Amino acid sequence: MDRKDRVQSDAISRRTFIGMVAGAGSGAVLLDGCGSLPPIRTIRSLLPHTPSTAATRTYILAPTPAKLTLGKQTVSTWVYNGGMLPGPTIRVNVGNTLRAIVHNHLNEGTTIHWHGLPVLNAMDGVDTLTQPPIPPGQSFTYEFVVPTAGTYWYHPHAGLQLDRGLYGALIVDDPGEQKNYDQDVVLMLDDWLDGVPGGPGNPSAELKQLSAGGDHMLGMNMDNQLIASVQMPPDVIYPYYLVNGKTANDPFTISVQKGQRIRLRFINASAATIYHLAINGHRMSVTHTDGQAVVPVEVDTLRIGMGERYDVLVTANNPGVWQLAAQVEGVRRMARAILRYQGSTAALPPADFLPPELNQRLLTYAMLNAAPGIFTPAIGQPDHTVSFLLSGGITAYAWQINNQLSAKATQITVPRDHRISFQLNNQSMMPHPIHLHGHFFQLDNGSARGPLKDTVIVDPMQQVNITWISNNPGLWAFHCQNLYHQATGMMNVIKIG
């Protein structure tokens, strides 16, 4: 093997994670004195430079136990700020300093991860890797300069807390953007089991059931049979699927006027569900993936994995009341929202109505190209190539990277400021949305201008190649965004020296 293609590795355990954080002292979780990022090239080499501003936006986030009403069902769960689902939308401009003060009212430690946003490593919010968890009854302040515009989101990166009500949108605006739309609407997709009577009760109980090999397909009946196709049924079939905290029987409604253009920001905050999205009577022009601009492409439906985001433009040119469906991949279940034109008095579509657009032009990664002005690491000969084998789920509910579970996984070390190629080879029978913390990567889709992303679905028996620049030093999580795959082993650590 050529020297420049060689990647150092060494064993790292959960105990080592904790030791690394503790050994770094208080400086491991604090910003430098001016509260800004050091002069690394994380964003400036990937996106057009935007000057920093002096403005600071402060948000209070208080994870706490609460009771929520989902449709006609009351559930006990954990949420931010006493009862909001989703949590508060954080909205800032590029260059602002975001200060998020977290008061932990839970009975266990928690963190916040800013999904998709490349931040200083100590602010990334991964339990025991980048910070000790925030203890019950204590507080922690995340503070960093927001480096790039786009659609992001936040959630805990501790245990199974994501599969409760702890998530919210993080929208970063570019004041210089020329807005070619009339409304800007965030739509957060979620799968829900926490506190539902007749189910496992909570995510920990569900994981125990999965690991024991029990029947984990919740809510199944003759009306919700598996789809006979190449799609695999999900690990967990949930009692509820939500859009902005609303069930299909009490849907979230988008009110529009004829002639308006609507920017929809889809965020898949689900723990274990891939969706297919379509709007009856309308097409979608895809403008961004994972917050990064692409050459617009018009489609009828798109597929969105856990952790992925898509921004689309919809022209309101077909008055009426229309179903926006998020069909669960592999089963006949769905979440939905409603597109209602002002003045229309038509009745709602049936809660389970699947628009025919779901079977029409589907967005694929091959259709996406980074927009002009977006820096991408050129596809070609990398400085280092690392292969990852994704496997598991055959003899036991355990998911592996390179035949290793995360607790004893081999840490991957790469030099700073090099061009790195990851070859992701899925040898399991389940799709894996793979997420890299702290960086964007370019997806190799057969063109020289593949989209810039941070999360990508690797389908069964498929290989996906991604290229990125190792210019944000620290220990970075690299894992399957399916929470139950991640919890049972499908996570690794990338160290940038």
Side-chain angles (χ1 to χ4, degrees):
M1 181 182 299
D2 188 85
R3 178 180 297 272
K4 81 170 186 175
D5 292 325
R6 190 173 297 135
V7 179
Q8 299 176 354
S9 336
D10 48 67
I12 184 166
S13 66
R14 182 176 176 85
R15 180 176 298 175
T16 307
F17 290 175
I18 298 172
M20 286 179 174
V21 174
S26 60
V29 292
L30 296 177
L31 290 166
D32 62 275
C34 65
S36 62
L37 289 170
I40 57 176
R41 295 191 295 276
T42 304
I43 298 304
R44 295 177 184 177
S45 64
L46 292 177
L47 297 169
H49 171 58
T50 301
S52 297
T53 70
T56 297
R57 299 295 305 275
T58 300
Y59 286 82
I60 305 295
L61 297 172
T64 184
K67 291 187 180 295
L68 297 180
T69 299
L70 300 180
K72 297 180 180 180
Q73 183 71 61
T74 299
V75 299
S76 296
T77 186
W78 296 348
V79 295
Y80 291 113
N81 297 6
M84 301 181 68
L85 187 69
T89 296
I90 294 176
R91 193 137 202 168
V92 296
N93 287 337
V94 171
N96 287 171
T97 294
L98 173 58
R99 178 182 296 137
I101 304 170
V102 181
H103 302 301
N104 184 10
H105 299 297
L106 306 176
N107 60 7
E108 63 182 58
T110 192
T111 67
I112 292 185
H113 169 57
W114 313 96
H115 186 109
L117 198 64
V119 297
L120 190 70
N121 189 247
M123 296 289 103
D124 195 49
V126 180
D127 174 14
T128 74
L129 180 62
T130 66
Q131 71 172 99
I134 307 165
Q138 296 192 27
S139 301
F140 181 83
T141 299
Y142 295 89
E143 187 168 317
F144 51 85
V145 173
V146 179
T148 181
T151 301
Y152 307 97
W153 62 299
Y154 63 92
H155 62 84
H157 216 292
L160 299 172
Q161 293 177 10
L162 172 59
D163 207 8
R164 296 182 185 265
L166 296 171
Y167 60 87
L170 169 58
I171 307 301
V172 183
D173 294 308
D174 179 356
E177 176 193 12
Q178 293 186 346
K179 292 182 171 59
N180 60 346
Y181 50 88
D182 303 291
Q183 287 195 58
D184 189 341
V185 181
V186 177
L187 298 172
M188 298 199 77
L189 309 172
D190 187 24
D191 44 19
W192 192 279
L193 59 79
D194 199 32
V196 176
N202 58 57
S204 295
E206 173 60 21
L207 179 59
K208 183 176 180 181
Q209 193 165 297
L210 285 167
S211 298
D215 181 8
H216 58 276
M217 292 188 176
L218 304 175
M220 286 289 291
N221 57 49
M222 291 301 292
D223 296 324
N224 295 311
Q225 57 190 314
L226 300 179
I227 293 175
S229 73
V230 296
Q231 298 173 2
M232 292 294 294
D235 298 67
V236 183
I237 300 176
Y238 285 75
Y240 294 109
Y241 296 93
L242 312 177
V243 176
N244 286 355
K246 297 281 192 176
T247 65
N249 290 323
D250 179 29
F252 180 81
T253 297
I254 306 163
S255 179
V256 302
Q257 296 178 8
K258 185 178 178 181
Q260 285 187 331
R261 298 186 82 194
I262 318 301
R263 180 176 185 169
L264 301 179
R265 300 176 186 257
F266 293 110
I267 302 173
N268 188 353
S270 298
T273 302
I274 297 172
Y275 301 90
H276 291 232
L277 301 168
I279 308 172
N280 193 203
H282 299 76
R283 305 198 84 193
M284 299 179 287
S285 178
V286 178
T287 61
H288 297 74
T289 178
D290 293 354
Q292 307 311 304
V294 296
V295 177
V297 56
E298 193 168 84
V299 297
D300 299 293
T301 183
L302 60 86
R303 183 187 188 215
I304 184 168
M306 296 78 86
E308 286 191 298
R309 291 91 62 210
Y310 283 99
D311 293 17
V312 307
L313 290 178
V314 175
T315 301
N317 56 8
N318 193 3
V321 177
W322 301 99
Q323 186 95 299
L324 190 164
Q327 183 182 4
V328 177
E329 183 168 281
V331 293
R332 298 188 185 281
R333 301 292 300 274
M334 60 176 284
R336 71 162 176 168
I338 298 297
L339 188 70
R340 179 182 287 274
Y341 284 71
Q342 293 180 14
S344 176
T345 59
L348 294 182
D352 60 353
F353 172 67
L354 296 174
E357 285 83 359
L358 286 165
N359 296 314
Q360 296 173 14
R361 192 177 193 227
L362 170 69
L363 179 74
T364 65
Y365 290 145
M367 298 176 183
L368 295 174
N369 288 285
I374 297 292
F375 173 87
T376 55
I379 298 293
Q381 184 63 35
D383 297 312
H384 303 275
T385 297
V386 189
S387 296
F388 292 95
L389 177 68
L390 313 177
S391 62
I394 298 177
T395 59
Y397 194 82
W399 302 90
Q400 304 170 340
I401 297 178
N402 290 341
N403 298 314
Q404 297 175 325
L405 299 177
S406 55
K408 298 181 179 180
T410 300
Q411 177 179 291
I412 304 299
T413 300
V414 298
R416 186 172 172 179
D417 293 329
H418 282 226
R419 195 154 61 96
I420 311 297
S421 175
F422 280 0
Q423 297 178 343
L424 311 175
N425 186 0
N426 183 2
Q427 290 299 305
S428 80
M429 294 307 296
M430 296 296 293
H432 299 294
I434 299 297
H435 175 47
L436 174 64
H437 287 221
H439 301 79
F440 298 115
F441 54 73
Q442 184 181 15
L443 175 63
D444 183 357
N445 64 354
S447 76
R449 295 289 299 172
L452 216 61
K453 291 178 62 63
D454 56 71
T455 308
V456 63
I457 301 173
V458 186
D459 276 315
M461 304 302 159
Q462 181 187 43
Q463 179 171 308
V464 170
N465 297 334
I466 61 176
T467 302
W468 57 284
I469 306 297
S470 56
N471 50 14
N472 196 357
L475 298 170
W476 297 104
F478 177 69
H479 60 81
C480 180
Q481 191 63 27
N482 183 314
L483 184 63
Y484 295 96
H485 294 182
Q486 180 190 145
T488 54
M490 192 167 274
M491 176 171 166
N492 210 321
V493 174
I494 310 299
K495 179 180 179 181
I496 300 175

